[in-house]
Amino acid sequence: MSLPGSLRTVAAVAVYWTAIALGGSVLLPDPTSPLVAVPTLGGGAVVAHAAHTDRLVELGYAVGTMWIAVLALSIGTGVVDVFALPRREIAPLADYPGIAAIGTVGLLGVLVVAYAAFSRRSDERDAAESE
């Protein structure tokens, strides 16, 4: 059973926006923090642009790239905390408000840069195929 194109687009938009909002806010200690607006609204703008310009595939790659950044940040923090700190205690990054804010904005930045790069690459590939 296949879904109509518009229903597929709505489902993709909902999944991508949720993935961006969750991944972008992973460093926030308080889910009611005003910084939740950064990944929610910023991610919404990127998703809206992707849906409007029919670039949902490129957005999918960008969301995957953002989640790789979340994973790398998590692993890197754990390695630094275990091997570099004398107490050998893992302190969550979310305990530091400045780091949480920079990380939240940085993860949105990763998403935007990856989306732009994948979109440019797709445009170049399309231009090369049309020649």
Side-chain angles (χ1 to χ4, degrees), residues 88-110:
R88 305 252 186 222
E89 292 179 8
I90 296 177
L93 280 178
D95 286 347
Y96 307 104
I99 292 175
I102 291 169
T104 300
V105 173
L107 287 173
L108 181 64
V110 167

Side-chain angles (χ1 to χ4, degrees), residues 101-126:
I102 291 169
T104 300
V105 173
L107 287 173
L108 181 64
V110 167
L111 174 75
V112 170
V113 168
Y115 175 65
F118 285 118
S119 294
R120 183 174 22 106
R121 181 174 166 233
S122 179
D123 288 341
E124 290 170 356
R125 187 178 56 239
D126 291 345

Side-chain angles (χ1 to χ4, degrees), residues 3-117:
L3 296 174
S6 60
L7 186 57
R8 237 180 303 160
T9 300
V10 169
V13 164
V15 168
Y16 289 148
W17 197 2
T18 301
I20 293 167
L22 290 174
S25 62
V26 74
L27 294 175
L28 297 176
D30 181 15
T32 61
S33 167
L35 278 173
V36 169
V38 172
T40 304
L41 297 178
V46 174
V47 170
H49 181 269
H52 180 70
T53 59
D54 196 29
R55 297 220 178 258
L56 291 173
V57 171
E58 291 84 355
L59 178 62
Y61 289 129
V63 170
T65 303
M66 184 193 76
W67 274 96
I68 289 171
V70 169
L71 178 64
L73 187 62
S74 299
I75 291 172
T77 302
V79 167
V80 167
D81 281 347
V82 169
F83 293 112
L85 297 178
R87 294 177 287 158
R88 305 252 186 222
E89 292 179 8
I90 296 177
L93 280 178
D95 286 347
Y96 307 104
I99 292 175
I102 291 169
T104 300
V105 173
L107 287 173
L108 181 64
V110 167
L111 174 75
V112 170
V113 168
Y115 175 65

